[in-house]
């Protein structure tokens, strides 16, 4: 494969028609705007899609996309561990939109879904506030809840992973319906 491990937005834009683009964000994030022609295979479903992604590499290069680049790097690592070479989009869809490139949205998408980063910030903030409030009102030991979230955030920054995001991705509004994922994998096979 001739694709480098990361493509800048201008490089990806010039090659859109020859790349198989896989968006590893949640279905709600994908619906809020994705690269033209991107197929949605959430990060936690990559293992299931390995045979179809491997088949896609026989026809050309694969570009993996997420919001900022962290999840797509994780997906590329999973793919590489399974003998599949793929590139990531530097800066993700955020950089794509910031550079003035168009994002596509599925028809019939009316409700905006929060991005995973925003969901994590809300959840972490709510748990920290709850821990502090319970620590003042019920028992000081509840402040350990806040300390645990702080430690998790530090760990997340150091490892470029996010356990809370992995948990939130399992919520129903962040999961693809089985039929949607089956349809996406069929589209991937038929490219």
């Amino acid at each position: 494969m001739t694709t480098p491990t990361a493509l800048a937005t201008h490089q990806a834009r010039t090659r859109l028609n020859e790349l198989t683009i896989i968006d590893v964000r949640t279905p709600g994030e994908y619906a809020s705007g994705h690269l033209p022609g991107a197929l949605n295979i959430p990060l936690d479903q990559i293992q299931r899609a390995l045979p179809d992604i491997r088949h896609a590499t026989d026809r050309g290069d694969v570009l993996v996309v997420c919001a900022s680049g962290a999840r797509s790097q994780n997906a590329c690592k999973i793919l590489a561990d399974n003998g599949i070479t793929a590139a990531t989009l530097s800066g993700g869809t955020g950089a794509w939109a910031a550079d003035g490139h168009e994002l596509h949205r599925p028809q019939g998408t009316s409700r905006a879904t929060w991005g995973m980063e925003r969901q994590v910030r809300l959840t972490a903030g709510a748990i920290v506030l709850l821990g502090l409030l319970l620590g003042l009102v019920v028992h000081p030991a509840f402040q350990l809840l806040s300390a645990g979230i702080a430690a998790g955030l530090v760990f997340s920054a150091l490892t470029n992973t996010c356990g809370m995001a992995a948990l939130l991705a399992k919520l129903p509004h962040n999961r693809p319906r089985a039929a949607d994922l089956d349809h996406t994998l069929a589209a991937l096979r038929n490219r």
Side-chain angles (χ1 to χ4, degrees):
M1 178 182 264
T2 58
T3 304
T5 57
L7 292 178
T9 57
H10 69 278
Q11 294 170 309
R13 181 152 170 66
T14 61
R15 298 186 58 203
L16 269 184
N17 293 332
E18 64 189 68
L19 294 169
T20 297
I21 304 168
I22 298 172
D23 191 319
V24 296
R25 297 176 298 156
T26 67
E29 290 175 297
Y30 173 82
S32 70
H34 57 270
L35 272 68
L39 298 171
N40 184 221
I41 303 174
L43 180 58
D44 65 345
Q45 298 294 315
I46 285 290
Q47 292 286 346
R48 178 177 170 199
L50 286 173
D52 296 312
I53 297 170
R54 184 174 286 111
H55 181 67
T57 61
D58 294 340
R59 297 185 307 272
D61 294 339
V62 172
L63 179 66
V64 183
V65 180
C66 68
S68 65
R71 283 179 278 178
S72 60
Q73 287 176 347
N74 290 337
C76 285
K77 183 181 179 330
I78 292 168
L79 294 174
D81 290 346
N82 286 279
I84 301 170
T85 304
T88 185
L89 179 66
S90 296
T93 54
W96 181 267
D99 287 347
H101 304 305
E102 180 182 5
L103 291 174
H104 287 212
R105 289 168 181 80
Q107 290 185 358
T109 306
S110 59
R111 190 178 69 129
T113 301
W114 285 7
M116 186 55 66
E117 182 182 335
R118 187 175 181 190
Q119 292 180 49
V120 167
R121 288 192 318 255
L122 174 72
T123 304
I127 294 172
V128 166
L129 285 174
L130 180 65
L132 292 174
L133 179 64
L134 290 173
L136 288 172
V137 176
V138 179
H139 191 276
F142 278 106
Q143 292 176 355
L144 292 174
L145 190 60
S146 300
I149 294 297
L153 291 171
V154 170
F155 180 79
S156 175
L158 293 174
T159 62
N160 200 27
T161 61
C162 186
M164 187 177 291
L167 289 174
L168 290 172
K170 296 186 183 309
L171 293 176
H173 68 277
N174 285 328
R175 306 226 6 108
R177 293 188 319 243
D180 291 343
L181 187 58
D182 291 341
H183 177 74
T184 298
L185 295 178
L188 182 59
R189 283 189 290 274
N190 294 326
R191 281 193 170 204

